[in-house]
Amino acid sequence: MDGSITNGSPQSTSRRAFLKASAATAATGLVLGAGAKEAKAFAYEPYPRDDDLETVVTSCAHNCGSRHMLVAHKKGDVIVRLSTDNGTYQGDAYGTDTEEKPQLRACLRGRSYRSRLYSPERLLYPMKRVGARGEGKFKRVTWDEALSDIAQRMVYLRDTYGPTALLDQSYAGASYGVLHKSDQIEGLLGRFMGMFGCRTSSWSVPSYQGTTFSSRTTFGTIQDGNEDDAFAHSKLIIMWGWNPAYTFHGGNTFYYMRMAKQRGCKFVLVDPQYTDSASAYDAWWIPIRPNTDAAMMAGMAYHIWDNDWHDQAFIDRFVQGMDKGTMPGWAQGQESFKDYIFGERDGVAKTPEWAAEICGVKAEDIKKLAEMYATTKPAALKASWSPGRNAYGEQYNRMAAALQSMTGNIGILGGCAEGVGKAWHAEAVAYPYDQFANVWYASIKSDRWAHCVLNYPNLKREEIGLWPRMDQLDGVAPNIRGIFWQGSDWLNQLTNINKEIAAIRKLDSYGEGESLLVCMDSTITPTGIWADYLLPIATHFERHDVALPWYKGHYYIHRPVVIQPLGESKTDFQVFTELAYRLGFGPGYNPRATRDYFNDPTQVDEAYLVAWWDNVRHHQGVEWDWETFKKRGVYKFVLPEPHVAFRPQIEQGMPFETPSGKIEIFSTTLAQTPDWTRTQYGYEIPAIPKWIEPWESLNHPKAKEFPFHMISPHPRWRTHSIFNNIPWLRETFAQETMMNASDAEKMGIRTGDTIECWNERGRVITPVYVSERCMPGVVVLHEGAWMDLDEDGVDRSGNPDFLTLDNPSPAGAFAYNTVLCNVKKSDLNHRPGWDKLSTARSHVFRRDL
Ligand SMILES: Nc1nc2c(c(=O)[nH]1)N[C@H]1C(S)=C(S)[C@@H](COP(=O)(O)OP(=O)(O)OC[C@H]3O[C@@H](n4cnc5c(=O)[nH]c(N)nc54)[C@H](O)[C@@H]3O)O[C@H]1N2
Ligand SMILES: Nc1nc2c(c(=O)[nH]1)N[C@H]1C(S)=C(S)[C@@H](COP(=O)(O)OP(=O)(O)OC[C@H]3O[C@@H](n4cnc5c(=O)[nH]c(N)nc54)[C@H](O)[C@@H]3O)O[C@H]1N2
Ligand code: SF4
Ligand SMILES: [Mo]
């Protein structure tokens, strides 16, 4: 025992000895015959054999970057094993996996889902808070008690504080399904609160609000994506802040990128860290100072023009405002993009040398990349969302669109116009998506809610991105008194957590009954700990739905009720329907249901889904009926050619969905906005893409005090905060901060030490990983760790959102990656996750408090 703790070798010796012994036993068993146990050569004993199990096709449901098939193997009502697509489920031969119809094979998170489903953190009963908010003390109550009290308090808050008193913080926890949705626009909560007559909605998407703005401004749509198989046809792929080996982005991205590699495609990575995607494809790594991407791209544009490598015919035909000749008549004399790049107005030519000073990339490298991109056809500049999750992130994405346009890489196979990158169109909505969907009485920028609460009523509209309906343009700021978290762990995931906690304290100060916090989730979460009520929600294994692809992919996966809901959990739809009945609008909210829906949703859910499927058959030419789809479990469309965004515009001259019908590098809408204070942005946004200095970066004077730029990418082993409590996954990757070897050496820091990263907003503790894969001056810490504050206000889990800033970028981008901090060694313990604490938190489940 002692030996196995202090030193691994005795353990491994005994493991080897054990294996030897069991091999010997098995061998003897064969020889001995009668009397010994019959050898069936079954590896999984004592687990049930496949023949004893029922096999059910389903899929994951979260905001995880993709959508794959899971196959549940169950005995009775218990899932004993999960596997994934093996090619057979659509009726093909085992192993079928083609370029046109690839398998949808699950990642490590999906495959470990069983341990999340049955985790000790599962919420099984409605819980009511009995301690202070955030203390984590709850008692079990009945559904009736919880829902009566919630309904009563909702009415009181609405009637006392008006139709904006309740804040909708639903988010994409349950996304890319057709019936049980938790998003801000098509979600179940938005419709429920809208019909109730009290809702402040949260506009702006953490993922890519700056990118959305860019895609809409430039192309008039966020459907600017190709299907992933188009990557197989590129000759050059520039992964700009894109790491699909880690951060999933569509169905089978890596498979098609490998095909491209096999066909001779070259790869480049522009990123402060050297990623696994780069090493997989032997990419040329260009380390860049975080948040300076727009400057580097401007330098590339200069070099391309300077050498006449641009595609003038493409520009003249399809683009507005790229140069003087393509400025619209009404804007003659205004600054075009080329004017800006050559410094005609500001006297600053955006040369590669100018850019090199800002972004830390050598001018020769900027030139070399510009040449590669402009002279290799077709080339995919995949400008991912992360560098846009920054102060002025919208400028980076618009600048990328300018490069994609000037090289004529839009609308052609092997090129790339992404952006947001939504590709093939999925029929997305099943439940009644009618005039009551997404009704709001005020809308604020999502991560300014704490600012709104803390400063109410002394707020300027632009401070919180307040966006009342047009007829209420002079509306006042909402007096937020309640929050519903549904499918979101937003207290843990939005920016500047300490400020959010201060906002909750302010709600506390209003007194008992004067505010309401409700968290609907399938597990206890760091957010839930702060709620007054925890409502246990059935997972996607426990309710009926259909899975949609995440941004890319052309298939539908059936998602049956695989097992009965654990404990007393109910679906979100059941809960809102029952609450709606209590509040007087049940039949309107869920027209197909009666009140018995709370007891049994089976028939009603089926009816919604059948209606949806009929729509799919009608619009998308699917030959299968609903029963066949249910039997097979998956329907994969085979497209006649890879889907490429804007092909019809380029090949057939269809107009783009912009005001001018062209790709708008010079934006009609932005140029014609007379008063920025009357938009939800509040601040001026230039009509052409420009480099704008972010409010924190390594070039900022503040870097003297806080010399490290922290970026917080998405973890391979989690979906944001989901799966943080799964020990299997934490065995694969650890929450740690990566820093550069020369920085670490100067500070006497070595791999495995514990460090503190801090700035004026917060402090976090993690182990450190010292590596050359991270450029000097940068630290990398993945988002999504379950916050765990100690009594001194230090977060021991290593959640970067204690350090992020909630200031909005003008177009609404969350500035998650605009963070300066400092680093030092620490004696404090890192606490990797709550499973270590689950006994400490087990009072959550106690009935008798
Ligand atoms: N495994 C996994 N996959 C996911 C998710 C998940 O939680 N886990 N979440 C999904 C969701 S909701 C989203 S929004 C997407 C996010 O997708 P992305 O935004 O593409 O992903 P990130 O992981 O944030 O960042 C990708 C890369 O950008 C780099 N980067 C960060 N800042 C900068 C910068 O300023 N400049 C440059 N050039 N590079 C920078 C990071 O080092 C990282 O390698 O991922 C989706 N996929
Ligand atoms: N520092 C930093 N922070 C970031 C980011 C970053 O890059 N850096 N990225 C941001 C991005 S892009 C995103 S998208 C956000 C994600 O932020 P969140 O959406 O808050 O993150 P998740 O961890 O996915 O939380 C979803 C929650 O929904 C619950 N859930 C799942 N299914 C259901 C359901 O059917 N019903 C209900 N009621 N609940 C359900 C899950 O259990 C989970 O607790 O994080 C953001 N935070
Ligand atoms: S990428 Fe998402 S859908 Fe696919 S297996 Fe992983 S968690 Fe599930
Ligand atoms: Mo996201």
Side-chain angles (χ1 to χ4, degrees):
M1 186 65 195
D2 287 343
S4 67
I5 291 173
T6 53
N7 176 336
S9 55
Q11 225 179 14
S12 37
T13 314
S14 59
R15 186 175 141 72
R16 267 200 305 278
F18 167 78
L19 289 175
K20 247 168 137 180
S22 32
T25 319
T28 341
L30 283 174
V31 178
L32 285 181
K37 196 165 179 285
E38 191 191 350
K40 285 188 173 162
F42 184 66
Y44 294 100
E45 265 179 328
Y47 300 106
R49 301 150 161 281
D50 282 359
D51 307 351
D52 301 333
L53 300 175
E54 192 189 336
T55 299
V56 189
V57 172
T58 183
S59 94
C60 298
H62 305 312
N63 189 20
C64 60
S66 197
R67 191 59 72 242
H68 296 114
M69 188 192 289
L70 289 177
V71 183
H73 303 267
K74 54 176 207 157
K75 179 139 177 122
D77 199 36
V78 178
I79 298 173
V80 296
R81 175 164 98 71
L82 284 174
S83 66
T84 188
D85 198 354
N86 59 19
T88 58
Y89 294 97
Q90 202 169 6
D92 297 321
Y94 179 84
T96 303
D97 190 24
T98 62
E99 191 169 345
E100 295 74 28
K101 206 161 87 175
Q103 292 181 13
L104 306 168
R105 290 203 292 262
C107 80
L108 72 172
R109 293 166 291 168
R111 288 174 199 236
S112 70
Y113 216 101
R114 199 167 58 90
S115 58
R116 178 169 194 268
L117 208 50
Y118 299 118
S119 75
E121 285 76 25
R122 257 320 277 272
L123 261 178
L124 299 174
Y125 312 104
M127 295 280 170
K128 183 182 169 147
R129 176 171 64 82
V130 291
R133 281 188 177 138
E135 200 185 347
K137 287 194 177 146
F138 294 84
K139 72 168 181 179
R140 179 176 166 183
V141 291
T142 61
W143 271 110
D144 184 50
E145 186 182 337
L147 296 184
S148 302
D149 193 27
I150 290 171
Q152 219 173 357
R153 289 167 69 179
M154 284 176 72
V155 171
Y156 170 76
L157 294 175
R158 179 194 60 190
D159 294 351
T160 316
Y161 301 105
T164 57
L166 296 176
L167 177 65
D168 175 346
Q169 286 205 334
S170 59
Y171 199 55
S175 50
Y176 301 95
V178 302
L179 187 56
H180 302 280
K181 282 176 195 285
S182 66
D183 63 89
Q184 297 155 303
I185 296 165
E186 293 172 355
L188 294 164
L189 177 62
R191 192 162 177 282
F192 166 73
M193 285 178 141
M195 287 184 89
F196 171 62
C198 186
R199 178 183 183 222
T200 290
S201 79
S202 304
W203 75 268
S204 77
V205 184
S207 319
Y208 52 64
Q209 192 62 34
T211 314
T212 298
F213 177 84
S214 165
S215 294
R216 291 228 166 94
T217 305
T218 315
F219 302 116
T221 174
I222 60 171
Q223 308 259 355
D224 54 8
N226 305 337
E227 286 291 281
D228 273 339
D229 50 350
F231 278 121
H233 302 271
S234 295
K235 296 220 169 77
L236 169 70
I237 296 178
I238 304 175
M239 300 181 282
W240 204 300
W242 191 46
N243 180 18
Y246 238 70
T247 311
F248 275 67
H249 247 267
N252 271 299
T253 325
F254 235 56
Y255 170 72
Y256 293 114
M257 288 168 79
R258 193 183 66 218
M259 276 184 189
K261 177 81 185 166
Q262 286 162 347
R263 295 168 183 171
C265 177
K266 299 246 178 320
F267 288 78
V268 178
L269 170 74
V270 185
D271 199 307
Q273 57 163 333
Y274 180 71
T275 62
D276 281 2
S277 306
S279 67
Y281 297 125
D282 191 21
W284 171 31
W285 177 35
I286 305 178
I288 183 169
R289 278 184 204 133
N291 292 208
T292 63
D293 305 87
M296 175 163 165
M297 288 174 166
M300 287 170 68
Y302 182 96
H303 194 62
I304 291 171
W305 260 314
D306 207 30
N307 286 281
D308 243 357
W309 289 323
H310 58 288
D311 186 339
Q312 190 67 45
F314 185 94
I315 293 172
D316 289 342
R317 206 162 151 217
F318 299 114
V319 189
Q320 169 171 293
M322 184 67 92
D323 50 19
K324 284 196 177 63
T326 53
M327 286 297 274
W330 55 267
Q332 287 299 320
Q334 294 191 38
E335 189 180 28
S336 73
F337 182 60
K338 190 172 179 187
D339 294 341
Y340 167 72
I341 293 295
F342 282 84
E344 289 204 3
R345 305 273 160 118
D346 60 6
V348 182
K350 314 300 176 306
T351 61
E353 288 73 19
W354 164 86
E357 286 292 311
I358 297 167
C359 66
V361 178
K362 281 191 279 193
E364 300 88 87
D365 287 343
I366 299 175
K367 290 179 188 170
K368 186 173 148 194
L369 182 61
E371 180 171 359
M372 275 172 83
Y373 181 51
T375 59
T376 314
K377 279 271 170 79
L381 167 57
K382 165 69 191 183
S384 196
W385 306 336
S386 198
R389 227 177 281 119
N390 281 325
Y392 307 105
E394 61 273 8
Q395 299 304 326
Y396 145 79
N397 277 113
R398 293 181 68 207
M399 198 69 87
L403 287 176
Q404 292 160 343
S405 310
M406 73 191 290
T407 55
N409 271 305
I410 289 171
I412 60 167
L413 184 61
C416 178
E418 300 174 13
V420 170
K422 265 196 198 281
W424 180 79
H425 175 75
E427 293 290 342
V429 186
Y431 66 92
Y433 190 66
D434 52 19
Q435 73 269 30
F436 297 111
N438 199 23
V439 171
W440 76 90
Y441 301 90
S443 188
I444 60 170
K445 163 119 175 61
S446 322
D447 63 345
R448 292 299 267 180
W449 77 270
H451 192 85
C452 179
V453 168
L454 287 168
N455 296 286
Y456 179 85
N458 303 313
L459 283 158
K460 287 207 194 83
R461 171 169 181 198
E462 55 269 29
E463 280 177 55
I464 50 168
L466 178 63
W467 187 238
R469 286 187 171 275
M470 293 302 281
D471 55 355
Q472 302 169 346
L473 263 180
D474 295 316
V476 288
N479 182 3
I480 292 168
R481 293 290 177 142
I483 306 176
F484 275 68
W485 291 296
Q486 181 232 353
S488 90
D489 195 0
W490 266 13
L491 203 65
N492 198 66
Q493 293 299 117
L494 293 184
T495 45
N496 207 346
I497 298 179
N498 279 321
K499 188 166 172 181
E500 294 188 287
I501 292 176
I504 293 205
R505 294 292 175 230
K506 173 142 184 224
L507 295 180
D508 288 348
S509 74
Y510 295 145
E512 197 62 39
E514 293 297 312
S515 63
L516 171 66
L517 302 177
V518 176
C519 182
M520 303 168 66
D521 210 301
S522 55
T523 64
I524 352 172
T525 61
T527 299
I529 289 295
W530 295 82
D532 304 331
Y533 279 100
L534 302 173
L535 303 182
I537 300 302
T539 67
H540 49 285
F541 285 89
E542 298 153 347
R543 66 188 183 210
H544 195 181
D545 212 331
V546 173
L548 304 171
W550 192 95
Y551 292 83
K552 297 183 174 201
H554 30 282
Y555 51 84
Y556 296 114
I557 307 175
H558 183 242
R559 220 186 254 149
V561 177
V562 181
I563 54 170
Q564 289 306 307
L566 294 190
E568 289 180 6
S569 48
K570 303 277 179 193
T571 70
D572 295 293
F573 204 14
Q574 281 179 291
V575 176
F576 292 134
T577 303
E578 175 59 24
L579 267 175
Y581 269 100
R582 285 165 194 250
L583 293 164
F585 55 97
Y589 183 70
N590 190 343
R592 288 185 189 271
T594 63
R595 198 155 179 183
D596 191 49
Y597 188 72
F598 196 63
N599 300 318
D600 183 6
T602 317
Q603 305 294 331
V604 173
D605 287 357
E606 174 98 9
Y608 280 118
L609 292 170
V610 168
W612 172 82
W613 184 257
D614 286 345
N615 195 26
V616 166
R617 289 186 74 190
H618 181 233
H619 282 106
Q620 295 182 311
V622 174
E623 60 276 20
W624 289 358
D625 62 13
W626 173 245
E627 292 305 321
T628 313
F629 176 54
K630 283 210 298 190
K631 196 164 135 234
R632 293 288 188 206
V634 62
Y635 188 88
K636 297 176 189 171
F637 291 81
V638 176
L639 305 182
E641 58 185 3
H643 171 92
V644 173
F646 309 128
R647 211 198 270 257
Q649 281 82 345
I650 302 307
E651 288 180 2
Q652 295 150 31
M654 263 177 63
F656 284 85
E657 293 170 51
T658 53
S660 64
K662 298 207 165 187
I663 299 170
E664 293 202 352
I665 299 305
F666 175 83
S667 160
T668 307
T669 312
L670 296 182
Q672 294 180 350
T673 300
D675 179 0
W676 289 93
T677 62
R678 292 183 79 80
T679 66
Q680 81 239 63
Y681 309 119
Y683 303 93
E684 185 174 347
I685 302 170
I688 48 169
K690 288 190 171 177
W691 156 250
I692 304 174
E693 190 74 46
W695 54 70
E696 290 188 6
S697 83
L698 290 172
N699 299 325
H700 195 278
K702 225 176 128 179
K704 287 205 172 62
E705 192 187 347
F706 296 109
F708 291 94
H709 193 126
M710 174 180 282
I711 52 173
S712 46
H714 292 211
R716 185 164 187 191
W717 66 107
R718 283 193 298 261
T719 300
H720 316 290
S721 70
I722 304 175
F723 301 110
N724 188 67
N725 59 328
I726 305 307
W728 291 3
L729 292 172
R730 281 220 307 276
E731 280 176 24
T732 61
F733 298 90
Q735 185 71 2
E736 59 195 7
T737 306
M738 176 159 70
M739 73 188 292
N740 176 268
S742 62
D743 288 338
E745 191 180 18
K746 275 183 235 147
M747 304 175 77
I749 291 173
R750 308 175 126 223
T751 293
D753 286 349
T754 302
I755 58 166
E756 178 176 316
C757 298
W758 84 95
N759 61 20
E760 65 272 56
R761 298 178 285 272
R763 310 151 84 82
V764 301
I765 299 290
T766 59
V768 63
Y769 176 64
V770 175
S771 171
E772 299 285 352
R773 292 176 65 144
C774 172
M775 68 184 277
V778 172
V779 288
V780 182
L781 176 61
H782 289 93
E783 55 117 17
W786 287 16
M787 64 163 123
D788 197 351
L789 276 181
D790 69 15
E791 48 293 341
D792 299 318
V794 181
D795 169 48
R796 301 295 194 87
S797 77
N799 181 328
D801 281 310
F802 280 97
L803 273 56
T804 49
L805 182 62
D806 56 315
N807 284 7
S809 183
F814 288 63
Y816 284 118
N817 287 314
T818 305
V819 174
L820 285 178
C821 68
N822 209 337
V823 170
K824 65 178 183 203
K825 261 195 196 177
S826 173
D827 295 330
L828 300 175
N829 290 336
H830 174 236
R831 299 177 192 155
W834 285 9
D835 52 323
K836 290 247 164 90
L837 299 178
S838 63
T839 19
R841 305 266 181 187
S842 64
H843 54 258
V844 169
F845 294 102
R846 250 186 248 153
R847 187 197 259 278
D848 55 350
L849 269 166

